[in-house]
């Protein structure tokens, strides 16, 4: 019977037919099917004597499916443990439109072992077997003959068993290899002026660090050792040990505060033996994040003015200029390759990358390849945030285990020299992973202290503590910075209407500020400066209130919420005009750029506002560029834009809003995860409103932790 046949009994053509049925049923995408078909055709084209079998075709389609979901590879073992969790596709047989049973993944894998899969892959011509025991990396490289797939058998030592054997697209395998090799080189103890031996005496370094990191009056809890430890100082000093380091921490834990002090320290150390300053560059994955980094560095640098005179030269040499990573590396039209790459490196000594969780594997590989010899790389980011939109979760992998420290005895001993409080023994791990020796996690949030509901909620979500989540959001909770709007009964139409009404009211209040700002329009005789400062005021007022949602479709998705806002805000001509196909450029329309526009120098994610200039009565979209200049752009020049009363949580990464309203959909959706909820919550700087049409959706999302497959071996 067809439904009970397992994978090994399928001919390739029959398997392709089955994949086609999976695609029609929405289990996999057209691209995944096309990839399997391509491989079958590829085999015919190369007239290989070896075969391509149904196992390879199935796994290739599944790999393509996984890459589309952000994974770097397809680990084989979890296919047998929890295929649904791994792939988010139905494991059992299901039925097509004609009521016929179609075998699902579990049926296909019935009676098949991982050894069967590996044996079949190894027989297949499009599969290259890498990492064979006893064969060196360079020999492996020489053996490669252009196969599109790579079967990588990981050494079992420091990788979880379930990741042990994985199938890769060649490109991603290559990225991982390249990142691992570059990081390994950067993690060696440095041999230039910053080697540990070249550092000043510990007591001198300690006194410099004490000047930079004065005891923080905000940290009142000195009883608990974790908060008594000055993690910022440790992060700063740990960075001196090698050319690579990571400073991770939640919102407001002082990543920028620390890094600006690190820059001062590096310049001071460098000045003692070099006449010219270090060339420091700052970058972030998005224009918005780059602009925020610049602002935060400027603010943090100005807080250092009280330092003793001996710091003056070093402080003058701190740069706050930041750019996007793409701009730094030099995008080349029509090419995936950047201007700066291996052999044509960047001209810098120190590179600070903020919001590193958003850097995908391809960009990370390009960045590391473009670093010049001897340069220092510091990644800043929140390991608990959503990973990059494209495949990979490099920051997450580099920080895996950072809560527990994972420090080898020599790392802990080094750090202890700079910490008055004894470091807890649990931070030590005899053979701690190499990468964790370069990571320091900042653990005290200055923005969200003990009385912050946003902080409490973020912690509850991160720890998947549903009781704590309930308590933080309860009506009698002590927190004034968070508010819950919910339907207690998701099926109750009356409650749903009440929820929508409450959301409309919230929008009326929240969006009133920017409309008030628009109404302060200067008159036609105003100067260019007056015009710009009006636009700046409107944009700033707009930033104070933002709707976020995890999804695009449905009443609580981006489209539904944008429509709701336009209908609700009576002050917008939008309610009438937006229905007019020819004039969606109504005044007060907030817009987001959805694709980089190199001609206009606008970046994906930039937010602007449509305003009518009092000077000529013409509408323009107004943006503030990375140099903090106001730009007035004719709407007709903008092609890739969308209204952004509401934006996806993904798009909100790297931004924060005074009052964030996070609206969840009414039905569960596989994109909802703990990281997504955490990211949305932590976009709120002062006030958070959580809109929950169905409590089940929130609790399921918090339970769903995304682990992206990939296995950087360092
Ligand atoms: N040790 C400290 N003493 C006093 N103030 C501090 C200290 N550390 C951080 N702050 C203050 O806390 C606030 C948040 O710090 P900072 O912006 O550096 O955090 P962050 O981790 O970079 O935040 P984000 O999540 O926005 O990237 C800033 O106002 C900063 O000046």
């Amino acid at each position: 019977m067809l439904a009970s046949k397992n994978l090994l009994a399928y001919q390739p053509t029959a398997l392709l037919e089955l994949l086609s049925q999976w695609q029609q049923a929405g289990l996999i995408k057209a691209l995944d099917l096309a990839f399997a078909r391509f491989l079958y055709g590829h085999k015919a084209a190369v007239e290989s004597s070896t075969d391509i079998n149904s196992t390879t075709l199935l796994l290739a389609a599944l790999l393509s499916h996984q890459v589309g979901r952000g994974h770097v590879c397809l680990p084989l073992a979890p296919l047998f443990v929890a295929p649904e969790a791994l792939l988010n596709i139905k494991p059992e047989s299901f039925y097509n439109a004609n009521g016929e049973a179609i075998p699902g993944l579990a049926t296909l894998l019935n009676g098949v072992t991982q050894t069967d899969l590996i044996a079949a892959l190894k027989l297949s011509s499009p599969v290259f077997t890498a990492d064979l025991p006893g064969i060196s990396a360079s020999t492996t490289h020489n053996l490669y003959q252009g196969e599109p797939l790579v079967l990588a058998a990981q050494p079992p030592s420091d990788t979880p068993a379930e990741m042990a054997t994985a199938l890769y697209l060649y490109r991603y395998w290559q990225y991982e290899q390249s990142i691992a090799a570059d990081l390994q080189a950067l993690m060696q103890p440095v041999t230039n002026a910053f080697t540990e031996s070249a550092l000043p005496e510990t007591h001198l370094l300690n006194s410099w660090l004490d000047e930079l990191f004065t005891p923080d009056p905000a940290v009142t809890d000195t009883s608990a050792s974790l908060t008594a430890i000055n993690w910022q100082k440790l992060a700063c000093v740990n960075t001196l040990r090698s050319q690579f380091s990571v400073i991770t921490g939640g919102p407001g834990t002082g990543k920028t505060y620390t890094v600006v002090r690190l820059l001062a320290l590096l310049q001071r150390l460098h000045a003692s033996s070099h006449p010219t300053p270090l060339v420091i560059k700052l970058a972030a994955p998005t224009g918005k994040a780059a602009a925020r980094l610049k602002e935060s560095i400027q603010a943090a640098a100005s807080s250092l003015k009280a330092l003793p005179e001996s710091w003056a030269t070093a402080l003058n040499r701190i740069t706050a200029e930041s750019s996007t990573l793409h701009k730094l590396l030099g995008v080349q039209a029509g090419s995936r390759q950047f201007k700066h790459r291996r052999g044509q490196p960047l001209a810098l000594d120190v590179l600070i990358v903020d919001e590193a969780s958003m850097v995908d594997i391809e960009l990370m590989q390009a960045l590391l390849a473009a670093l010049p010899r001897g340069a220092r790389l510091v990644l800043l980011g929140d390991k608990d945030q959503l990973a990059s939109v494209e495949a990979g979760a490099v920051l997450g992998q580099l920080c895996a285990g950072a809560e527990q420290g994972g420090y080898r005895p020599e790392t802990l001993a080094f750090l202890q020299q700079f910490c008055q409080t004894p470091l807890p023994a649990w931070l030590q791990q005899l053979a701690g992973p190499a990468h964790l020796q370069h990571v320091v996690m900042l653990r005290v949030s200055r923005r969200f202290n003990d009385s912050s509901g946003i902080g409490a909620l973020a912690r509850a979500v991160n720890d998947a503590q549903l009781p704590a989540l309930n308590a933080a959001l309860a009506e009698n909770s002590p927190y004034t910075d968070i508010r819950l709007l919910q339907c207690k009964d998701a099926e109750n139409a009356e409650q749903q209407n009440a929820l929508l009404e409450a959301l409309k009211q919230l929008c009326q209040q929240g969006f009133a500020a920017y409309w008030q700002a628009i109404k302060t329009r200067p008159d036609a005789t105003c100067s260019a400066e007056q015009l710009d400062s009006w636009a700046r005021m409107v944009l700033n007022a707009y930033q104070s209130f933002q709707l976020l949602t995890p999804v695009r479709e449905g009443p609580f998705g981006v489209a539904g919420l944008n429509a709701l806002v336009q209908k609700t805000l009576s002050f917008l001509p939008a309610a009438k005009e937006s229905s007019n196909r020819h004039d969606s450029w109504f005044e007060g329309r907030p817009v987001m750029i959805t694709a980089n526009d190199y001609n206009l120098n606008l970046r994906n994610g930039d937010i602007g506002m449509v305003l009518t200039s009092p000077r000529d009565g013409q509408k323009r979209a107004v943006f503030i560029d990375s140099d903090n200049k106001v730009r007035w752009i004719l709407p007709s020049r903008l092609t890739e834009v969308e209204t952004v009363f509401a934006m996806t949580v993904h798009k909100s990464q790297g931004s924060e809003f005074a009052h964030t309203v996070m609206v969840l959909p009414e039905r569960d959706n596989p994109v909802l995860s703990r990281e997504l909820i955490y990211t949305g919550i932590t976009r709120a700087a002062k006030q958070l409103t959580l809109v929950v049409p169905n409590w089940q959706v929130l609790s399921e999302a918090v339970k769903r932790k995304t682990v992206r497959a990939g296995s950087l071996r360092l």
Side-chain angles (χ1 to χ4, degrees):
M1 231 172 84
L2 187 72
S4 60
K5 196 162 92 171
N6 84 11
L7 176 63
L8 304 177
Y10 270 80
Q11 289 302 312
T13 46
L15 198 273
L16 287 175
E17 179 47 39
L18 178 63
L19 289 178
S20 167
Q21 292 183 310
W22 282 19
Q23 189 256 316
Q24 282 160 30
L27 268 67
I28 57 172
K29 294 187 299 300
L31 181 70
D32 310 329
L33 173 63
F35 181 54
R37 283 186 176 151
F38 160 79
L39 289 181
Y40 190 62
H42 175 86
K43 173 250 158 190
V46 296
E47 291 175 12
S48 169
S49 55
T50 47
D51 204 359
I52 179 154
N53 43 55
S54 49
T55 300
T56 306
L57 296 176
L58 172 73
L59 295 180
L62 296 182
L63 170 62
S64 166
H65 172 84
Q66 287 299 78
V67 168
R69 299 174 59 231
H71 298 275
V72 167
C73 60
L74 176 73
L76 299 186
L79 283 172
F80 298 92
V81 183
E84 190 173 34
L86 179 74
L87 301 163
N88 194 34
I89 65 176
K90 291 178 195 166
E92 304 298 341
S93 299
F94 59 101
Y95 297 90
N96 66 13
N98 302 328
E100 295 156 356
I102 302 175
L105 187 58
T107 313
L108 282 189
L109 293 180
N110 192 12
V112 180
T113 64
Q114 186 176 328
T115 312
D116 294 331
L117 298 187
I118 293 173
L121 285 168
K122 283 186 174 170
L123 280 176
S124 227
S125 57
V127 180
F128 173 65
T129 306
D131 299 333
L132 290 170
I135 296 188
S136 73
S138 58
T139 314
T140 305
H141 192 76
N142 292 339
L143 292 172
Y144 177 68
Q145 292 186 339
E147 294 87 344
L149 296 172
V150 175
L151 179 67
Q154 314 290 3
S157 58
D158 58 354
T159 43
E162 70 271 21
M163 295 290 178
T165 302
L167 189 65
Y168 284 78
L169 292 177
Y170 174 73
R171 192 154 69 88
Y172 289 106
W173 177 71
Q174 184 65 25
Y175 292 152
E176 251 189 18
Q177 302 290 305
S178 169
I179 291 174
D182 286 336
L183 283 180
Q184 268 158 6
L186 290 174
M187 285 177 183
Q188 298 307 311
V190 279
T191 51
N192 60 24
F194 307 125
T195 50
E196 277 183 51
S197 56
L199 288 177
E201 294 285 317
T202 304
H203 74 272
L204 181 60
L205 189 53
N206 242 327
S207 72
W208 286 1
L209 286 165
D210 285 340
E211 286 173 355
L212 292 168
F213 295 91
T214 48
D216 178 4
V219 178
T220 48
D221 178 13
T222 47
S223 58
S225 59
L226 273 189
T227 51
I229 295 166
N230 194 331
W231 297 102
Q232 298 176 335
K233 186 173 156 189
L234 297 184
C236 182
V237 78
N238 199 44
T239 297
L240 302 180
R241 301 178 73 216
S242 69
Q243 288 169 254
F244 173 71
S245 47
V246 179
I247 302 178
T248 185
T253 47
K255 297 180 288 295
T256 325
Y257 181 96
T258 304
V259 98
V260 85
R261 282 155 178 80
L262 169 68
L263 296 182
L265 183 64
L266 289 175
Q267 289 289 21
R268 185 161 181 183
L269 288 167
H270 185 77
S272 60
S273 51
H274 297 80
T276 50
L278 287 167
V279 178
I280 296 171
K281 300 245 164 111
L282 310 173
T286 65
K288 185 127 246 146
R292 249 192 91 208
L293 176 63
K294 180 175 170 177
E295 270 171 35
S296 317
I297 293 273
Q298 275 168 341
S302 67
S303 73
L304 289 177
K305 289 204 177 108
L307 278 178
E309 183 56 27
S310 50
W311 286 98
T313 313
L315 294 186
N316 282 336
R317 293 175 169 181
I318 296 177
T319 176
E321 285 314 309
S322 66
S323 68
T324 62
L325 282 168
H326 282 83
K327 190 168 173 196
L328 179 80
L329 292 170
V331 174
Q332 307 196 102
S335 166
R336 271 190 116 100
Q337 225 178 29
F338 292 105
K339 182 168 154 253
H340 293 289
R341 49 182 188 263
R342 213 177 294 284
Q344 298 191 36
L346 293 158
L348 51 78
D349 299 306
V350 179
L351 176 58
I352 309 289
V353 178
D354 197 11
E355 299 289 351
S357 57
M358 294 168 74
V359 181
D360 62 61
I361 189 167
E362 182 174 3
L363 189 55
M364 188 62 87
Q365 172 269 335
L367 177 67
L368 287 165
L371 271 191
R373 274 172 78 91
R376 184 184 290 280
L377 174 66
V378 182
L379 302 181
L380 309 178
D382 183 348
K383 65 180 177 53
D384 297 317
Q385 273 193 31
L386 275 174
S388 52
V389 176
E390 301 298 330
V394 183
L395 187 80
Q397 286 178 353
L398 289 172
C399 295
E403 273 97 354
Q404 287 75 40
Y407 295 133
R408 294 176 187 166
E410 61 272 23
T411 310
L412 206 64
F414 174 81
L415 295 176
Q416 187 63 74
Q417 300 174 88
F418 303 96
C419 184
Q420 276 96 23
T421 322
L423 290 168
W426 55 260
L427 287 172
Q428 181 168 309
Q429 190 182 339
L430 273 184
H435 60 271
L436 284 184
Q437 313 315 305
H438 305 262
V439 178
V440 174
M441 179 177 157
L442 306 183
R443 297 166 195 248
V444 183
S445 176
R446 266 82 192 170
R447 191 169 308 143
F448 303 134
N449 59 20
D450 289 347
S451 63
S452 158
I454 300 171
L457 204 56
R459 275 193 300 279
V461 169
N462 238 347
D463 300 341
Q465 285 298 332
L466 290 177
L469 181 89
N470 275 310
L473 290 168
E475 273 166 28
N476 59 357
S477 102
Y479 304 120
T480 52
D481 58 342
I482 49 176
R483 185 179 164 205
L484 173 69
L485 296 178
Q486 71 160 326
C487 276
K488 289 212 164 97
D489 174 0
E491 304 301 324
N492 183 318
E494 221 169 276
Q495 285 187 19
Q496 284 170 8
N497 285 338
L499 183 74
L500 275 178
E501 275 314 307
L503 182 57
K504 284 182 189 170
Q505 266 181 27
L506 194 66
C507 290
Q508 272 161 356
Q509 290 157 9
F511 288 119
Y514 92 96
W515 189 249
Q516 287 303 326
I518 290 181
K519 286 204 297 195
T520 65
R521 185 192 328 271
D523 64 28
T525 61
C526 69
S527 65
E529 289 74 35
Q530 285 170 322
L531 196 63
D532 283 357
S533 77
W534 171 58
R536 209 182 282 282
M537 191 169 75
V538 173
L539 279 167
N540 282 341
Y542 184 75
Q543 289 283 319
S544 62
F545 182 81
Q546 181 65 53
L547 299 183
L548 301 183
T549 165
V551 293
R552 299 198 71 84
E553 308 303 332
F556 298 108
V558 170
L561 290 173
N562 274 333
L564 178 91
V565 173
Q566 281 180 228
K567 264 191 252 148
T568 306
L569 301 185
S570 55
F571 51 75
L572 284 184
K576 283 174 266 132
E577 286 189 25
S578 62
S579 58
N580 178 345
R581 278 177 293 123
H582 304 295
D583 185 12
S584 56
W585 292 101
F586 51 88
E587 178 161 64
R589 178 187 176 198
V591 286
M592 180 190 264
I593 303 291
T594 53
N596 290 338
D597 185 330
Y598 296 107
N599 291 330
L600 288 174
N601 198 16
L602 288 172
R603 303 276 147 185
N604 189 347
D606 283 354
I607 293 180
M609 175 67 61
V610 180
L611 292 177
T612 307
S613 167
R615 288 166 139 197
D616 60 7
Q618 295 290 312
K619 295 205 179 86
R620 304 274 196 311
V622 185
F623 293 86
I624 296 183
D625 71 12
S626 53
D627 295 326
N628 205 21
K629 292 209 183 70
V630 179
R631 302 190 49 207
W632 296 78
I633 297 175
L634 276 175
S636 55
R637 300 188 67 196
L638 299 173
T639 44
E640 308 282 345
V641 282
E642 61 187 34
T643 304
V644 70
F645 288 113
M647 72 169 86
T648 60
V649 177
H650 275 96
K651 285 276 184 200
S652 74
Q653 276 181 283
S655 300
E656 64 174 32
F657 311 96
H659 184 174
T660 296
V661 179
M662 180 148 84
V663 185
L664 296 186
E666 72 287 19
R667 269 185 252 297
D668 196 17
N669 180 317
V671 305
L672 296 172
S673 65
R674 189 181 308 169
E675 298 77 19
L676 185 137
I677 305 289
Y678 171 82
T679 305
I681 288 173
T682 54
R683 296 312 87 208
K686 296 201 175 108
Q687 184 74 37
L688 173 81
T689 305
L690 204 53
V691 181
V692 184
N694 181 351
W695 185 261
Q696 190 74 16
V697 170
L698 175 63
S699 55
E700 287 304 314
V702 169
K703 284 187 235 158
R704 194 177 291 135
K705 180 155 178 61
T706 318
V707 179
R708 280 195 173 176
S711 45
L712 262 183
R713 279 170 301 136
L714 299 168

